[in-house]
Amino acid sequence: VEPPPMEDGQNVTTLSDAPKEVCPKPEPHRSPYTEIEYVCIIIFTVEYILRLLSCSAGPGVCRFLAQVMNLIDLISILPFYIQKIAGSSGLEGLAVLRVLRLARVLRIFKLSRNFQGLILLMQTFRKSAGALLMLTFFVAMSLVVFATLIFYCESGEWDEYRQQYVRSDGQQTPFESIPASMWWCLVTMT
């Protein structure tokens, strides 16, 4: 409805209290994670099939299927396809199998033996383990000492009504306890 023109040619616009739809409501069964899951499953399936096709016929395929990492890969892919084929016909038990997809993360350890930089880093950590433990001990001791000091120096007065420590200007102190003060010390030290 067009507003009536005023005497000097200006239009009057009125504001409405009616809610406006800014963006369409999302479909309840759809989320961005679904698309991400589809892409990942397709990539994992193609990779698994290519690895299966690239092993030699006969004993090579049997050896490929019997390896633990390949079984984990197969178990992580199958629940998706079983669920798609069966639909939502009471297969909630497959949710447990979906957790096994996380086992694919273990493959990073298999890859680590091929990277010289990662091997060198692990050797460095092994050789300097004593010094790192000493550093961790000194940081932990410093946390306890300085957190206790800052708590007792900056805690303020206890307010019975508010049930908290209050500074002289009436504001709440950020150092409510020694563990809360430890967080401040850790952030300050690092």
Side-chain angles (χ1 to χ4, degrees):
V1 174
E2 239 357 86
M6 292 183 66
E7 299 89 33
D8 57 348
Q10 297 177 347
N11 286 339
V12 177
T13 57
T14 58
L15 297 175
S16 171
D17 289 337
K20 292 185 178 182
E21 187 176 318
V22 178
C23 62
K25 293 181 182 178
E27 298 173 20
H29 65 278
R30 193 162 174 227
S31 76
Y33 301 114
T34 307
E35 283 88 14
I36 293 171
E37 183 181 24
Y38 287 159
V39 169
C40 290
I41 288 293
I42 288 170
I43 291 171
F44 293 150
T45 304
V46 168
E47 183 232 356
Y48 185 80
I49 290 171
L50 288 176
R51 284 189 295 128
L52 181 65
L53 293 174
S54 67
C55 55
S56 61
V61 174
C62 294
R63 216 174 314 128
F64 175 82
L65 293 174
Q67 290 178 349
V68 175
M69 295 305 276
N70 294 329
L71 284 174
I72 290 173
D73 289 345
L74 183 64
I75 290 172
S76 67
I77 294 170
L78 279 180
F80 176 81
Y81 291 111
I82 293 171
Q83 191 173 15
K84 287 298 170 194
I85 291 170
S88 60
S89 61
L91 292 174
E92 286 78 25
L94 289 177
V96 174
L97 292 177
R98 295 179 123 199
V99 174
L100 290 176
R101 289 185 190 172
L102 295 176
R104 291 183 71 93
V105 174
L106 296 175
R107 298 185 80 206
I108 194 73
F109 297 119
K110 190 170 82 171
L111 291 175
S112 66
R113 65 177 172 226
N114 298 327
F115 295 115
Q116 291 298 327
L118 201 54
I119 293 170
L120 184 63
L121 181 66
M122 292 308 295
Q123 289 173 351
T124 305
F125 278 141
R126 245 184 254 122
K127 287 181 180 177
S128 59
L132 289 173
L133 285 174
M134 183 84 69
L135 174 69
T136 305
F137 175 74
F138 283 130
V139 168
M141 290 305 294
S142 300
L143 275 175
V144 171
V145 169
F146 291 118
T148 305
L149 283 174
I150 197 73
F151 172 72
Y152 284 114
C153 291
E154 293 285 334
S155 63
E157 299 292 323
W158 179 255
D159 186 1
E160 278 298 323
Y161 179 73
R162 292 166 60 176
Q163 294 292 309
Q164 63 186 7
Y165 286 101
V166 180
R167 291 183 172 171
S168 58
D169 62 355
Q171 292 182 347
Q172 175 187 357
T173 181
F175 306 108
E176 287 288 323
S177 65
I178 293 176
S181 302
M182 280 184 181
W183 175 250
W184 175 83
C185 285
L186 182 68
V187 170
T188 304
M189 284 194 300
T190 57

